[in-house]
Amino acid sequence: MLQGALAGLAAGGLYAVLAVCLTLMSRLVRVVNFAQSATGMFGCYVAVFLSVQFGLPTWLATVAGILLGGLLSALLGWIVSTWLAEADTGARSAVTVAVLLLLISLSFILFGNKPQPFHPILDGPALTAGGVVISQVTVVTVALAVLVALASRLVLSRTSAGVELRALSERPTTAELLGIPAKRLSVAVWAATGVVSTLVVSIVAPSQSNDATSLAMLVVPAAAAALLGGFRRLDLAVAGGLVLGLVQGAAAQVDGLSVARYFLPFAVIVALLLWSQRKEVWDAAR
Amino acid sequence: MRRLGALAAAVVLTTAGCAGAESGSAGPIVVGSVNALSGAATFPEASQAAKAVFDAANAAGGVNGRQIEYKALDDKGDPAAAAAAAREIVGGDEAVALVGSSSLIECEINAEYYEQQKILSMSGIGVDPACFSSPNIAPVNVGPFHDMTLSLLYGSEELGLTDICALLEIAGNTLPSYQAAIDEWSAITGKKLKYIDATVPYGGSDYTSYIVKARNAGCKAITVNPVEPDSIGQLKAAQAQGWTDVTWLLLTSVYSENYAKAVSNAGAGVYVPAEFYPFTDAGSPQNKDWRELMTKNGIPLTSFSQGGYLAAKYFLDVIRGIGGEITRESVTKALREMKPISDPMVGTPYVFGPGESHHANTAGWPVKLTTGTNRWELAAGDWLRIPARN
């Protein structure tokens, strides 16, 4: 059981990083970004294409892919903050669903639907704990989740840009009237989360199934993790991601439960929604 | 209402008239296939290869002076589209037979319809269990179930492996067929698997927990029925765990150049009983004609294109022997009564025959992929066959 749980930790770290990105987006630019992992997937695929077709060294191709992921995300952010500046969260998020589908289809068209020959940036075991090998990927993703969450927290609470961002997310119109450059800041947030999610997908993709759909759909467990913190709290998003990974890994070890493990994210989402809405009365919750 | 009835009758009469004209001896011989051309998993090569064979036959004057018109339709991986495609070819285009189909779902969906319409299908690549258990469908390939028996036979008998575990990716109703394939191996060898885990998901993202479970159970070899991306995920999960002495006994579904390029660490080796003579053996005389035809037409060299090529070739052989008119009835009769055809590309002769089910291809040619080579190599000098049991 424990061994299985530790085996799920690599996935947990990945969920946690994506959950932190989702939480940041929701807090700062009022978007639930369904294309969060699809952007990462697309950046990775371009990186593989560059290394296979043009013979770029792996690290250089990966860096180019990460930059492209950031650019894609920034472009999407620019579109949303230009034309949907005053729209509500639902409308802004709906755009990203379209982008998710677009990126999956585009990667099929450009790169085919066969798996890509990824060259691992990290591979092999890092240490052994309780008879389970903890892979290098696990160590890096978990560390990255904690780092990104801490760094975001520091930026938001200790820098003037962070204060401006918080002002923007609380009262966008007021903040703009005060002269805070709304669009520039929003696009910067989009770009940053694009870079981070492409980075983490680049680390993980070589060590798991890496067809376009499964990478793009990582957003589902990540959303389940982000929901634990109500799309507001970074620390809970990290915890949620790690716990979800651990539970999935443990569930795979028990025959009766392993069928259920792929429905876990959905089960978690439903349970959290029911719990968070428990005090709502019918009229108000509708 | 009455007018509608009259209109319907008129439509029926005209279409019947057209159909009568179509299936006369002057028009082309219509042959069709239902294929996964778009959707989650695609195998366009089988029907492309069949078309290349028919084009070459047409260029050489056709069959009895008639041209062959080949229609390859898309099932989009969708049951409704698969049913519609079959009806378009069989009902609309009045095809005489289906040749070279390759789809994940088509047999299951259309087997009964083919029986009703008294039409036979020579699948290029049969995948779902109905392809191998229907009276009117006879694929030219070994199929995933016999392939799994062969893979296990090779692992336990040739490589001398013990403690083999099975990780099965089950889609739809395939579990009983895989179970039967494993039981077949047990009956031949008297050996049992260490355990079977039939909960492995298709398109799962991280297989680490399944790999850890297998390792802790003491498996020395793992047999899987994976699609390419999943298998790559499983191999990488084992590699990340530092589990390098595990042998993989897989199926033809992963036998491709693409897969070999994507796998740099294959543990103690990936072994596959290739359903047709291994296409990666470039200089082989067995594949020479096929290879030349595919290269000329720019069709990828894969197991799928071998299946489509063979289906079309067998079909031509059979209909060239028909004395009278080539119609659906005469083609069906000829296929039911045909003599077995041998080909160096396969280990067992092909025969459609009168049986209630068709699963006669029982030989594979073992190939292996070892760590660091990124290419498939022959692992044997002859076909591996499933021994007949009395």
Side-chain angles (χ1 to χ4, degrees), chain B residues 24-45:
Chain B
S25 58
I29 303 168
V30 181
V31 180
S33 64
V34 180
N35 311 279
L37 302 181
S38 66
T42 57
F43 335 113
E45 303 97 348

Side-chain angles (χ1 to χ4, degrees), chain B:
Chain B
M1 202 60 233
R2 192 174 300 167
R3 194 177 301 178
L4 263 184
L7 186 70
V11 169
V12 169
L13 283 173
T14 27
T15 44
C18 293
E22 271 295 307
S23 53
S25 58
I29 303 168
V30 181
V31 180
S33 64
V34 180
N35 311 279
L37 302 181
S38 66
T42 57
F43 335 113
E45 303 97 348
S47 51
Q48 287 171 354
K51 186 174 184 311
V53 174
F54 291 136
D55 285 347
N58 286 340
V63 178
N64 302 352
R66 289 173 68 187
Q67 295 283 293
I68 291 177
E69 188 182 342
Y70 185 62
K71 295 186 179 245
L73 293 193
D74 186 4
D75 72 10
K76 304 186 177 76
D78 168 50
R87 278 150 184 81
E88 180 179 332
I89 294 167
V90 179
D93 297 326
E94 296 279 318
V96 299
L98 292 121
V99 178
S101 294
S102 66
S103 152
L104 287 169
I105 53 168
E106 188 263 335
C107 300
E108 189 68 47
I109 305 291
N110 294 324
E112 274 190 30
Y113 176 68
Y114 296 154
E115 276 184 73
Q116 286 166 8
Q117 300 295 319
K118 300 187 173 59
I119 189 167
L120 300 187
S121 168
M122 303 170 68
S123 300
I125 300 289
V127 183
D128 58 284
C131 299
F132 304 97
S133 59
S134 310
N136 287 37
I137 303 176
V140 302
N141 66 326
V142 176
F145 312 111
H146 280 340
D147 213 27
M148 179 155 272
T149 309
L150 285 166
S151 203
L152 287 167
L153 279 173
Y154 188 79
S156 68
E157 308 308 295
E158 302 289 325
L159 299 173
L161 295 165
T162 52
D163 298 324
I164 303 174
C165 305
L167 298 184
L168 300 180
E169 300 189 341
I170 298 302
N173 59 347
T174 53
L175 182 56
S177 305
Y178 281 116
Q179 188 62 58
I182 292 165
D183 294 344
E184 172 83 356
W185 166 76
S186 292
I188 294 165
T189 60
K191 295 171 183 168
K192 288 260 178 290
L193 288 179
K194 201 163 178 72
Y195 79 81
I196 298 177
D197 183 347
T199 63
V200 184
Y202 264 109
S205 52
D206 186 0
Y207 289 102
T208 306
S209 38
Y210 292 93
I211 298 298
V212 168
K213 184 178 170 185
R215 191 180 188 177
N216 288 341
C219 309
K220 295 198 176 59
I222 301 181
T223 187
V224 199
N225 61 325
V227 287
E228 271 184 44
D230 293 5
S231 175
I232 290 170
Q234 288 150 10
L235 262 66
K236 288 186 168 160
Q239 180 190 352
Q241 292 290 310
W243 191 17
T244 52
D245 55 357
V246 58
T247 307
W248 299 88
L249 304 172
L250 306 182
L251 311 185
T252 306
S253 53
V254 302
Y255 177 45
S256 78
E257 299 277 11
N258 202 35
Y259 179 87
K261 280 200 200 87
V263 170
S264 42
N265 187 322
V270 172
Y271 291 87
V272 168
E275 298 190 14
F276 306 104
Y277 184 84
F279 60 86
T280 43
D281 184 15
S284 62
Q286 289 95 327
N287 283 337
K288 186 169 167 291
D289 295 351
W290 164 78
R291 185 176 282 272
E292 282 170 2
L293 187 67
M294 296 304 112
T295 319
K296 198 175 98 188
N297 288 282
I299 299 167
L301 302 171
T302 65
S303 299
F304 295 104
S305 57
Q306 287 176 299
Y309 167 86
L310 283 171
K313 222 173 113 175
Y314 295 152
F315 177 76
L316 282 177
D317 267 7
V318 171
I319 63 169
R320 287 208 163 108
I322 296 178
E325 284 281 321
I326 296 180
T327 59
R328 187 179 300 174
E329 290 77 345
S330 67
V331 169
T332 302
K333 184 167 175 288
L335 283 170
R336 291 279 189 214
E337 296 166 359
M338 71 185 271
K339 291 199 167 51
I341 303 175
S342 300
D343 193 290
M345 283 170 72
V346 279
T348 31
Y350 178 86
V351 62
F352 204 114
E356 277 303 297
S357 67
H358 308 276
H359 205 169
N361 194 342
T362 54
W365 193 296
V367 291
K368 66 178 177 200
L369 172 66
T370 43
T371 299
T373 56
N374 290 110
R375 51 189 207 87
W376 292 98
E377 292 157 38
L378 299 185
D382 195 6
W383 295 97
L384 175 70
R385 297 167 200 278
I386 298 177
R389 289 189 296 122
N390 300 322

